[in-house]
Amino acid sequence: MSIAEAGEFGLIARIVARLDFGTASLLGPGDDAAVVAASDGRVVASTDVLVEGRHFRRDWSSATDVGHRAAAANLADIAAMGASPTALLVGLCVPVDLDISWAEDLAAGLSAEAAKVGAGVVGGDMSASPTLTVAVTALGDLGGRAPVLRSGAQPGDVVALAGRTGYAAGGYTVLSRGFRTPKLLVEAYRRPEVPYEAGAAAATLGATSMIDVSDGLLQDLGHVAAASVVGIDLHTEAFEIPGAMRDAAIALGVDPFQWVLGGGDDHALAATFPPGVTLPAQWRVIGGVHEGTGVTVDRKPWQGGTGWDHFR
Amino acid sequence: MSIAEAGEFGLIARIVARLDFGTASLLGPGDDAAVVAASDGRVVASTDVLVEGRHFRRDWSSATDVGHRAAAANLADIAAMGASPTALLVGLCVPVDLDISWAEDLAAGLSAEAAKVGAGVVGGDMSASPTLTVAVTALGDLGGRAPVLRSGAQPGDVVALAGRTGYAAGGYTVLSRGFRTPKLLVEAYRRPEVPYEAGAAAATLGATSMIDVSDGLLQDLGHVAAASVVGIDLHTEAFEIPGAMRDAAIALGVDPFQWVLGGGDDHALAATFPPGVTLPAQWRVIGGVHEGTGVTVDRKPWQGGTGWDHFR
C-alpha cells in the first residue's frame, strides 16, 4: 500500500503501533504534544536531519537501518553532553508513492535504537515531500550532572575515545565502489554502534570536554580545540586498524587512517580528561592537549582528509 | 552569496547571529546539544515539518513569514497542552543555490515569533536538500499544571475558541486565485496570530480538553470528540464573519463558513470547559458537548469541507 492510499491518519496509526514510548514518557503520541520527564529541572535537546541521497541511500540501507542511524546520530549528541537520552521526536517527509512498509520499518528502527538506552519515540509529524527526509530531535536528562561542553579542555589533559572511528567511512567507501563486503565496515555504516553509556560515565569521571564524532575525529576535535583555545595532538600508534579494514583499504587504494581520522558517522565519543585520571576500558587514550591551536597527528599537520562539509 | 559558497559552518555562524536564545535557555547553540530549563521536572515537546510547495510557497511568503509560521505552528501545539513554550530547535534542509539571506531571514522570523512568548531558538541542524524543508521542534513548561489533553471533554461542557479561524484559509484561497488582497486574509495566511497565553490560561480555568486548530475546526474538534468519546455541536451564530472575509468569499464564490469551519493554519485554540465557568473575553463560546459521536453544525452534519489530509 502506498502512503497516498493509507492517508495521513492511517499512516500515523500504523507507525504509532510500531513505537515504544520509553520509561521517561509521561504522555506519548496522539495529542498536540508529548510530555517527558526531566527529573533535574533541565532538558538536553538536539536535532539532526537526514536527507535521502545525502545521508542515506535506499539501495544501500534498509528503512530499519536508516531508523537506527537517524536515532543514533541524535542519541549520540545527547550522550556527548554527559546526559542520558529519554525521548525522540521525528519529523518525516515522504514521497507519496513510497510504500507504507518503508515508513513502518523506519519507525521500528528508530524505536529499537532508542530502546537500547531506554528512550522512546514520543511524537512526531509527517508530510508528503518530493525528498525523503528524516528530522529527529532527541531529549535527554543530565541527572543532576553539569553538562560536558566542548570548551573545557585544558593543556595537560589526555584525549580519549569511546567507540569506533573509520568503520562507517570504510563502509561508505566500499558501498560507493559497488561492493557489499567486508561486512564489518558495511554493517558499521548501516547501523553505528554507539557507546551511549560512556557519555554519562565520562561526566562522572570528570571529563573536561566531550564531543560526538559525527564529521570525523580531526574535524570534531578541531571544534574542541577551537572552543577550548588549546591544541590537540593525536597519536597514531593508539589506533588499532582491524584486519578487515586494512585489507579493504589496501584493495581500494585508501590510507585507512583517512577513514579513522577523517571519517564520520560512527558516532564515537571523544573527550578530554585531567591527567592522571583512571579510565575504564571503554575509554582509550588517543592523544593529549597542549597550549596552542588546532589538531596535529604525531606532532605534524595531517595531510589527508579532515571530515566533510555537508554543503560541498 | 549562495549557501554553497558560504559553506555549512559559515551559514551556521550567520544564522546563530540572528537568534535569540530565550530566558529558559541554559546553553544555546554551538555544542552537541542545548540545555533548557524544565522547571517542574517535565518537558512538553512537539515537532512539525513544513515543506516548500506544500506548506509554503516562496512567491507567496517571505522567508521571515515562513519563519513566523513554522514557529507559530509548533508554539501553538505547546500552548494547546496548557504549557508555556520555552525553546525551539530547527532542522533546515536547503537547496545549495538558495541565497544565504533566505536562511538568515527565516531564522529572524523563527526567533521573532518565539520571542513573543519569551522562547528562544536554542539549536538545530542544516543540510543541503533538493526540497526546502523546515522541521521545528518546540519545548514547553507546564509550570506544575496538569497537561490539558484531547480526551477530557464531558457531555454538558461548553466548547470555546481563542483566536481566529478561516482567515488563513481565506488568504490561501485568495493567493491561489492570483490575488494579493484583502490584506486581512493574506497577512493572516502569512503570519498567524496565535493566542499563545490563552493555552496556559485555559488550563488554569479548568479546561477539560484542548486542541490547536491547525487542520480546520471541524476536523480538529473531531479528534477531541473521538478521544473524549462525546459529540460536539457548533453554533454558526457564534461566529462573526468580518466584512473583508465576507466580501472576498462572495467575490470568489466560496461559502465563508467553509473557511471558518474547515480551514486550518490560523492556529486558534479550541477547548472545552465545564458548564458555568466564567471565561475571559479571549475565549468565545462556539458550541457544546453532548453524549454521542462526531461534530455537527447547528445540530446537522456539515456538508462543506472539513479540513485536509496532508497526503492527498
Side-chain angles (χ1 to χ4, degrees), chain A residues 31-308:
Chain A
D31 219 296
D32 289 291
V35 184
V36 178
S39 67
D40 71 358
R42 300 169 297 172
V43 61
V44 181
S46 178
T47 289
D48 266 316
V49 289
L50 281 79
V51 177
E52 182 176 17
R54 191 157 277 270
H55 299 93
F56 64 90
R57 283 174 53 158
R58 270 187 276 166
D59 56 338
W60 286 4
S61 298
S62 72
T64 313
D65 291 337
V66 175
H68 276 274
R69 191 138 65 87
N74 272 272
L75 298 168
D77 281 326
I78 301 300
M81 300 302 288
S84 301
T86 52
L88 298 180
L89 295 99
V90 183
L92 177 59
C93 305
V94 288
V96 288
D97 61 352
L98 187 74
D99 196 89
I100 195 169
S101 67
W102 200 93
E104 290 173 324
D105 290 347
L106 175 83
L110 286 161
S111 197
E113 188 68 25
K116 290 182 185 174
V117 287
V121 180
V122 298
D125 187 28
M126 274 182 279
S127 173
S129 168
T131 306
L132 182 53
T133 306
V134 187
V136 180
T137 298
L139 305 179
D141 187 341
L142 283 161
R145 295 179 296 275
V148 182
L149 309 185
R150 298 178 177 185
S151 53
Q154 298 287 335
D157 284 353
V158 297
V159 178
L161 183 72
R164 316 184 302 189
T165 69
Y167 286 58
Y172 178 88
T173 306
V174 163
L175 286 165
S176 66
R177 304 276 180 96
F179 300 105
R180 300 265 158 174
T181 57
K183 266 203 140 163
L184 177 76
L185 304 186
V186 171
E187 286 303 309
Y189 167 77
R190 290 183 175 142
R191 300 191 188 185
E193 280 185 22
V194 184
Y196 297 114
E197 331 69 47
T204 304
L205 287 163
T208 52
S209 74
M210 186 154 49
I211 193 164
D212 159 43
V213 182
S214 55
D215 290 333
L217 198 50
L218 290 173
Q219 180 167 321
D220 288 317
L221 284 175
H223 298 315
V224 170
S228 300
V229 198
V230 296
I232 287 176
D233 186 55
L234 297 181
H235 313 146
T236 50
E237 89 269 2
F239 294 88
E240 266 179 49
I241 310 288
M245 184 188 288
R246 185 174 300 276
D247 293 347
I250 291 168
L252 298 168
V254 176
D255 176 357
F257 274 101
Q258 200 162 319
W259 293 338
V260 168
L261 298 176
D265 282 336
D266 284 299
H267 299 291
L269 300 176
T272 56
F273 294 91
V277 70
T278 303
L279 293 174
Q282 197 170 30
W283 286 96
R284 190 162 31 97
V285 173
I286 58 167
V289 181
H290 56 83
E291 288 184 23
T293 58
V295 182
T296 49
V297 177
D298 298 332
R299 298 269 165 199
K300 295 189 292 280
W302 174 249
Q303 304 296 335
T306 60
W308 69 319

Side-chain angles (χ1 to χ4, degrees), chain B residues 17-68:
Chain B
R18 296 289 185 289
L19 302 179
D20 181 332
F21 309 147
T23 53
S25 168
L26 305 173
L27 179 69
D31 218 295
D32 289 291
V35 184
V36 178
S39 66
D40 70 358
R42 299 170 299 173
V43 62
V44 180
S46 178
T47 289
D48 266 315
V49 289
L50 281 78
V51 178
E52 181 175 20
R54 192 157 275 269
H55 300 93
F56 65 90
R57 284 174 51 159
R58 270 187 276 166
D59 55 340
W60 287 3
S61 299
S62 72
T64 313
D65 291 337
V66 175
H68 275 274

